[in-house]
Amino acid sequence: MEEHYCQSCGMPMGPTDQLYGTEESGGKSADYCKYCYEEGKFTFHGGMEEMIEFCVKPMAENNPGMTEAEARGMMKKFFPMLKRWRDQ
């Protein structure tokens, strides 16, 4: 099964739609998690670098043995490939 990632914060979305955000119509977003996207709007209003800094601590905490510097480095490589940040 292919892993789906939030196209804003890079979080793995899991095998169900439980973590998916919502569109304005109330349907589930195909691209964004519930933390980044609600009712068709982004909940985070900053740039890619700011999103990376916001995500560093939770990523390091949820990946035992990973330092914040390692998390930051991984995200700096991964985030430019995400739909929300591709054109920035």
Side-chain angles (χ1 to χ4, degrees):
M1 180 176 190
E2 184 179 331
E3 182 78 57
H4 292 277
Y5 298 91
C6 174
Q7 294 297 300
S8 179
C9 71
M11 180 180 77
M13 303 275 269
T16 69
D17 67 356
Q18 207 171 23
L19 293 175
Y20 286 70
T22 55
E23 297 293 350
E24 189 174 1
S25 65
K28 294 290 184 175
S29 169
D31 296 318
Y32 304 106
C33 76
K34 66 181 185 179
Y35 304 111
C36 291
Y37 199 71
E38 289 180 350
E39 298 177 353
K41 296 180 181 133
F42 289 109
T43 60
F44 182 85
H45 303 287
M48 182 178 71
E49 290 294 325
E50 293 164 303
M51 176 63 90
I52 289 171
E53 289 307 313
F54 182 78
C55 294
V56 165
K57 187 173 182 168
M59 184 171 179
E61 288 174 349
N62 287 296
N63 291 281
M66 179 181 286
T67 67
E68 288 187 6
E70 290 169 329
R72 184 177 291 107
M74 287 175 64
M75 286 187 278
K76 284 184 179 247
K77 291 178 184 174
F78 184 55
F79 274 39
M81 294 185 282
L82 299 175
K83 185 176 182 177
R84 184 172 184 191
W85 312 114
R86 277 187 207 141
D87 297 329
Q88 291 191 5

